[in-house]
Amino acid sequence: MLRPYFSATILLMKARKRLVVGNWKMNPKTIGEAKKLYVDIRKEAAKRKNVDVGIAAPFPYLAELRKYSVGKSLQLVAQDVFWEKQGAFTGEVSAAMLESVGVTRVIVGHSERRALGETDEMVNSKLRTIVRSSLTAILCVGERERDHGGKHFGFVEAQIKSAFSQIPRTKLSQIIVAYEPVWALSTSKDGHAATPEDAHEMIIFIRKILSHVYNRAAADSVCVLYGGSVNVKNIDELLKWSGADGFLVGGASLKGGDFSSIVKSTHDSKAR
Ligand code: PGA
């Protein structure tokens, strides 16, 4: 069943540029450490022209890090956004605020935010706001656990359908999907990456849902990342077999050397 779809996907893949985004979460502890890490990563990113590289830094660091984003070699990414434009929403940050400090992309629906109460409806509101701005969303989806009955496919399907509700096809270029199974995050109990084959299967499935919601060409135009315990040890296998257009990297993005190696491997890899 997957084979014809997969072949067509391979033909169309060239159009999607690879992307590696470091998700720093609530790290590092100070702006001084953040600057140092950012500058180290930028040096590597500047050398790797055929892969886009971004860092999702905590809100208070973004404006300062912008000063070190020479050219477009390292993109500033935010970890969240609110759907309202302005007003009495203590603690929230708008799309316009992010744009004004040079942010180009924003993570939406990360499982750590969902665990704090973010619902599918909230994720959809955020996406609808983002497509009205100049930002691009990195929409995180992924099941909490797997079972032999394959319920995780239905779970991810529901997340995708809800997230893309009322998003017109013309806005798809502003949405990137990151498949991040919660059980595969380095901070989870199991803490090991999905196998490249499991990631591949879900990435194909995500495209299939998108092709039902929109059409094949639209689904093939969407960049789909993998995230969950990506590190220097598994990056080559993931590049070879997962079919991902890139990676959302948590823990390993806090070590400049490791993250740079992941960027370099992604840049050098011919596989996809
Ligand atoms: P991890 O995190 O690479 O540490 O598993 C990924 C993420 O949460 O985005």
mmCIF file of all heavy atoms in Angstrom, residues 18 265-272:
data_model
loop_
_atom_site.group_PDB
_atom_site.id
_atom_site.type_symbol
_atom_site.label_atom_id
_atom_site.label_comp_id
_atom_site.label_asym_id
_atom_site.label_seq_id
_atom_site.Cartn_x
_atom_site.Cartn_y
_atom_site.Cartn_z
ATOM 1 N N ARG A 18 16.365 20.655 3.648
ATOM 2 C CA ARG A 18 16.498 20.041 4.969
ATOM 3 C C ARG A 18 16.576 21.098 6.065
ATOM 4 O O ARG A 18 17.069 22.201 5.842
ATOM 5 C CB ARG A 18 17.750 19.176 4.987
ATOM 6 C CG ARG A 18 17.467 17.862 4.302
ATOM 7 C CD ARG A 18 18.503 16.859 4.704
ATOM 8 N NE ARG A 18 17.929 15.554 4.694
ATOM 9 C CZ ARG A 18 18.525 14.490 4.170
ATOM 10 N NH1 ARG A 18 19.700 14.575 3.630
ATOM 11 N NH2 ARG A 18 17.931 13.324 4.218
ATOM 12 N N SER A 265 26.239 16.117 9.477
ATOM 13 C CA SER A 265 25.771 14.844 8.902
ATOM 14 C C SER A 265 24.556 15.070 8.016
ATOM 15 O O SER A 265 24.440 14.486 6.939
ATOM 16 C CB SER A 265 25.367 13.862 10.003
ATOM 17 O OG SER A 265 26.448 13.599 10.823
ATOM 18 N N THR A 266 23.647 15.930 8.479
ATOM 19 C CA THR A 266 22.436 16.199 7.695
ATOM 20 C C THR A 266 22.801 16.882 6.381
ATOM 21 O O THR A 266 22.272 16.562 5.319
ATOM 22 C CB THR A 266 21.464 17.085 8.510
ATOM 23 O OG1 THR A 266 21.249 16.453 9.787
ATOM 24 C CG2 THR A 266 20.143 17.263 7.817
ATOM 25 N N HIS A 267 23.746 17.795 6.457
ATOM 26 C CA HIS A 267 24.203 18.499 5.264
ATOM 27 C C HIS A 267 24.860 17.533 4.278
ATOM 28 O O HIS A 267 24.623 17.584 3.080
ATOM 29 C CB HIS A 267 25.193 19.582 5.696
ATOM 30 C CG HIS A 267 25.834 20.301 4.551
ATOM 31 N ND1 HIS A 267 26.980 19.842 3.923
ATOM 32 C CD2 HIS A 267 25.481 21.427 3.913
ATOM 33 C CE1 HIS A 267 27.296 20.666 2.954
ATOM 34 N NE2 HIS A 267 26.412 21.645 2.913
ATOM 35 N N ASP A 268 25.698 16.646 4.802
ATOM 36 C CA ASP A 268 26.491 15.782 3.922
ATOM 37 C C ASP A 268 25.699 14.591 3.374
ATOM 38 O O ASP A 268 26.085 13.997 2.370
ATOM 39 C CB ASP A 268 27.707 15.215 4.689
ATOM 40 C CG ASP A 268 28.688 16.319 5.048
ATOM 41 O OD1 ASP A 268 28.532 17.436 4.522
ATOM 42 O OD2 ASP A 268 29.597 16.062 5.877
ATOM 43 N N SER A 269 24.619 14.242 4.059
ATOM 44 C CA SER A 269 23.910 13.011 3.680
ATOM 45 C C SER A 269 23.263 13.109 2.295
ATOM 46 O O SER A 269 22.602 14.090 1.973
ATOM 47 C CB SER A 269 22.830 12.730 4.717
ATOM 48 O OG SER A 269 21.976 11.758 4.238
ATOM 49 N N LYS A 270 23.468 12.060 1.533
ATOM 50 C CA LYS A 270 22.839 12.014 0.200
ATOM 51 C C LYS A 270 21.508 11.273 0.280
ATOM 52 O O LYS A 270 20.702 11.329 -0.613
ATOM 53 C CB LYS A 270 23.740 11.260 -0.794
ATOM 54 C CG LYS A 270 25.146 11.822 -0.926
ATOM 55 C CD LYS A 270 25.197 12.907 -2.003
ATOM 56 C CE LYS A 270 26.560 13.510 -2.159
ATOM 57 N NZ LYS A 270 27.058 14.244 -0.996
ATOM 58 N N ALA A 271 21.348 10.536 1.390
ATOM 59 C CA ALA A 271 20.154 9.677 1.491
ATOM 60 C C ALA A 271 18.902 10.487 1.703
ATOM 61 O O ALA A 271 18.914 11.509 2.360
ATOM 62 C CB ALA A 271 20.336 8.715 2.667
ATOM 63 N N ARG A 272 17.807 10.067 1.124
ATOM 64 C CA ARG A 272 16.470 10.528 1.478
ATOM 65 C C ARG A 272 15.477 9.895 0.526
ATOM 66 O O ARG A 272 15.755 9.802 -0.645
ATOM 67 C CB ARG A 272 16.343 12.031 1.451
ATOM 68 C CG ARG A 272 15.000 12.502 1.967
ATOM 69 C CD ARG A 272 15.062 13.837 2.614
ATOM 70 N NE ARG A 272 15.502 14.863 1.670
ATOM 71 C CZ ARG A 272 15.136 16.162 1.755
ATOM 72 N NH1 ARG A 272 14.356 16.541 2.709
ATOM 73 N NH2 ARG A 272 15.586 17.051 0.909
#
